[in-house]
Amino acid sequence: MSDIAVTVPETAKTPSLGARLFDSDLWASFKRSKVTMAAAFLTLLFFLVAILAGVLSPQDPFDPAQLELLNSRIPPLWESGGQAPFLLGTDQQGRDMLSAILYGLRISLVVGFLGVAFSATLGIGLGLVAGYFGGAVDAVIMRIADVQLTFPAILIALLIDGVVKSILGNQLDPMTILGVLVFSIGLSFWVQYARTVRGSVMVEKNKDYVAAARLIGLPALVIMLRHVLPNVLGPVLVIATINLALAIITEATLSFLGSGMPQTMPSLGTLIRIGNNFLFSGEWWIVAFPGIALATLVLAINLLGDWLRDALNPRLR
Amino acid sequence: MFAYILRSLLQGAVVLIAVAFIAFSMFRFVGDPVANMVGQEASMADREELTKHLGLDQPFPIQFLRFLGKAAQGDFGISYRQGRPVAAVMAERLPATVELAVLSAIFATVVGVALGVYAAIRRHGLVANAVMTLSLVGVSLPTFLIGIGLIYVFAVELRWLPSFGRGETVRLGGWTTGLLTKSGLQSLILPVLTLGFFQLTLIMRLVRSEMLEVMRSDFIRFARARGIPNRVIEFRHALRNTMIPVVTIAGLQLGSVIAFAIVTETVFQWPGLGALFVNAVQFADVPVMAAYLVFVAFVFVVVNLATDLAYLALDPRLRAAPTAAR
């Protein structure tokens, strides 16, 4: 009995956040998996070069004044005919591929992150409301989710993108198009968050702490956001990671189909769309390097998501 | 069992009506149908007459009911861009997409199940591990990149296979098929591989994990104790019990087959419904968009129904006790 009395105060002491992180199961499983560490390194590297694109790239690919048509279709430096400073060659407008990829990566990542943030906010909000209140609200939200699941996300994104653009008119500046992309990607991915959060909330809301919070008269909004939400966020994190990869793929696909970012401010998908036209004339580098960048980025994020899912799944521990 | 089928049918009808409603609302938000159909010089009187003729002066619910009635007969109006009935335009494109989608589904299921069983039986083998690693890469690669890669290797470098179009097609009544000519078959190979690849990796991983689960269960252990040969255990006893989740996922995946068909058809300039839809979105051709949406929802509902019926065929318990099913 006296042993227990001694140990309680010790565990009650909370170590700092850093110490808790390095002591956790999550960190242990991270250190065990070399593939995961490599994926994390690659992902961070991609984020870093995207942030530093302005410093790293020899050219501003969005500035038409810096493009020389004389420099068009130069092969990569190590091929015969390659010219400095165009390490990865140039496209048909004389745009340096390396610069275009770095800036394009930035756009792909921005659209991906904003799209995930938008869909997660929407999905978590609707899921909380549906799970907490139940009844007719729940039925309406979940039936909408069911109907939306009928359609693949890419189709919905394509459709919303087309409808919004035809309402706004044809002459849109690149930043508006970026906004439309975020909006359409966000609207096509909220269902999974809503379903997951709703399920967890329905379990959580019957627990004693929620009853206690109700008893002391807290408003429903406070209970949902301050007390229930933190307890249902674990699975959301996993979905968000995997959806980041999906959102990036969706943006790239829309841009590839010609419904995404314009040629004047290309994302990785737009670059691949441009390069695809030169596949048969032998200028393989215009499509290959953006393609490799996109594939590596998505693979790295997917590997992280897979690991996170397994590491947070108590059944697999 | 009858109630079970009836409930599936009812759910399908609700989905279809909801989607038809969304498709119908698009006409209100995107452009003005009258302005789309009359010329520049049309007088106000002409416009009013057309508005009346199209029934656009009537209240929203009545218009929606008329739309539903026409849609049920396959009448989605006239394509803004091509000036022909949407139904005719879509019927022309349908065979290309159906051949592509069905062949990819068959390819993905056959190869996916075979590889999945193999990866489960030879769990620690070199080949099985290589296949699993490759499948993770496959899940990550966007469809259009796979298509471009295949075109580069087999059409640009090796020059073995065509990279666009359907090749020569043969007319059989109202159906054009690429399955009867050499160039038609050659043209199918790359698009089918591209479209089937994602499904293949998904089915393979699913079959593998289900097989590993089933192989651990008691009835497999008893089958081994009875001295039944491994092959029979693996393929008759174990595989059959993995089929329910596999059929579910394969059925649900048909939706994404259609989605990726949009991408695949664009990469290979395949004259199917997906490419039609991409064009329709870019030109705000609302009747085609609406018809495509309803079509996809219809396919989804039919596939879901077929999946539910497949459960009945695969799992005798559902047939015996319909009330306990679900």
Side-chain angles (χ1 to χ4, degrees), chain A residues 143 146-147 149-155 158-159 161-163 166-167 170 249 252-253 256-259 269 272-273 276 279-280 282 284 287 290-292 294-295 298-300 302-303 306 309 315, chain B residues 14-15 18-19 22 26 29-31 136-137 139-145 148 151-152 155-156 163 205 255-256 258-260 262-263 266-267 277-278 281-282 284 289 292-294 296-297 300-301:
Chain A
R143 285 301 83 72
D146 285 348
V147 173
L149 270 191
T150 314
F151 297 100
I154 177 75
L155 204 159
L158 193 62
L159 191 76
D161 187 78
V163 169
S166 61
I167 292 173
N170 279 329
I249 290 187
T253 308
F256 177 76
L257 294 177
S259 294
I272 295 169
R273 172 186 172 80
N276 194 29
L279 204 57
F280 279 91
W284 53 270
V287 66
I292 292 168
L294 178 67
V298 171
L299 180 65
N302 263 341
L303 284 170
D306 266 8
R309 184 180 54 203
R315 277 203 331 190
Chain B
V14 172
V15 169
V19 171
I22 295 167
M26 278 197 316
F29 291 127
V30 183
L136 192 66
V137 178
V139 171
S140 300
L141 275 180
T143 311
F144 63 96
L145 272 186
I148 292 174
I151 289 181
Y152 185 71
V156 179
S163 68
R205 293 173 79 89
S256 18
I258 296 167
F260 291 122
I262 296 177
V263 181
T266 308
V267 175
F277 179 68
V278 171
V281 167
Q282 273 153 15
M289 281 155 81
Y292 183 80
L293 270 192
V294 176
V296 172
F300 176 86
V301 166

Side-chain angles (χ1 to χ4, degrees), chain B residues 151-161:
Chain B
I151 289 181
Y152 185 71
V153 173
F154 291 103
V156 179
E157 287 294 316
L158 297 172
R159 293 170 190 277
W160 286 353
L161 296 167

Side-chain angles (χ1 to χ4, degrees), chain B residues 9-310:
Chain B
L9 272 174
L10 210 67
Q11 279 172 354
V14 172
V15 169
L16 269 182
I17 291 176
V19 171
F21 182 75
I22 295 167
F24 176 69
S25 338
M26 278 197 316
F27 284 96
R28 305 227 109 195
F29 291 127
V30 183
D32 174 7
V34 176
N36 275 314
M37 292 172 92
V38 297
Q40 292 281 342
E41 306 87 42
S43 67
M44 283 312 280
D46 286 346
R47 281 167 195 258
E48 260 166 43
E49 200 190 343
L50 187 61
T51 308
K52 208 162 251 169
H53 176 70
L54 292 172
L56 294 173
D57 53 343
Q58 283 168 351
F60 190 79
I62 306 265
Q63 283 191 41
F64 178 55
L65 282 181
R66 280 175 49 136
F67 174 81
L68 266 189
K70 281 190 172 174
Q73 297 164 35
D75 180 3
F76 285 92
I78 312 263
S79 159
Y80 293 164
R81 188 154 169 260
Q82 306 199 20
R84 293 191 298 144
V86 174
V89 175
M90 287 190 55
E92 207 174 85
R93 299 288 196 116
L94 186 67
T97 296
V98 169
E99 279 180 6
L100 179 62
V102 169
L103 281 180
S104 334
I106 294 173
F107 161 71
T109 314
V110 171
V111 181
V113 169
L115 282 179
V117 171
Y118 182 82
I121 297 173
R122 303 250 183 286
R123 200 180 159 183
H124 301 290
L126 204 66
V127 182
N129 277 331
V131 166
M132 285 307 290
T133 315
L134 264 181
S135 78
L136 192 66
V137 178
V139 171
S140 300
L141 275 180
T143 311
F144 63 96
L145 272 186
I146 297 175
I148 292 174
L150 286 176
I151 289 181
Y152 185 71
V153 173
F154 291 103
V156 179
E157 287 294 316
L158 297 172
R159 293 170 190 277
W160 286 353
L161 296 167
S163 68
F164 64 89
R166 288 184 80 188
E168 245 178 279
T169 53
V170 178
R171 277 198 85 85
L172 293 175
W175 189 271
T176 54
T177 178
L179 295 173
L180 296 176
T181 62
K182 187 162 169 256
S183 75
L185 285 174
Q186 280 179 334
S187 304
L188 268 165
I189 296 175
L190 293 184
V192 164
L193 286 180
T194 308
L195 186 54
F197 195 71
F198 183 79
Q199 267 60 42
L200 189 161
T201 50
L202 206 84
I203 291 175
M204 187 194 94
R205 293 173 79 89
L206 188 73
V207 169
R208 174 180 174 273
S209 63
E210 288 292 328
M211 274 290 275
L212 288 177
E213 196 100 334
V214 172
M215 292 300 271
R216 272 201 295 267
S217 57
D218 283 340
F219 75 90
I220 296 291
R221 211 170 301 154
F222 280 118
R224 284 203 201 288
R226 276 162 62 201
I228 295 172
N230 273 340
R231 188 137 313 212
V232 177
I233 293 178
E234 283 152 4
F235 285 93
R236 188 171 307 159
H237 298 231
L239 185 60
R240 194 181 170 129
N241 279 284
T242 64
M243 277 298 125
I244 284 252
V246 172
V247 166
T248 310
I249 296 293
L252 284 178
Q253 281 302 307
L254 212 92
S256 18
V257 169
I258 296 167
F260 291 122
I262 296 177
V263 181
T264 310
E265 286 179 8
T266 308
V267 175
F268 290 96
Q269 296 165 41
W270 193 258
L273 289 172
L276 181 74
F277 179 68
V278 171
N279 275 326
V281 167
Q282 273 153 15
F283 291 93
D285 193 346
V286 183
V288 174
M289 281 155 81
Y292 183 80
L293 270 192
V294 176
F295 169 77
V296 172
F298 181 72
V299 170
F300 176 86
V301 166
V302 170
V303 167
N304 251 14
L305 202 62
T307 316
D308 283 349
L309 291 179

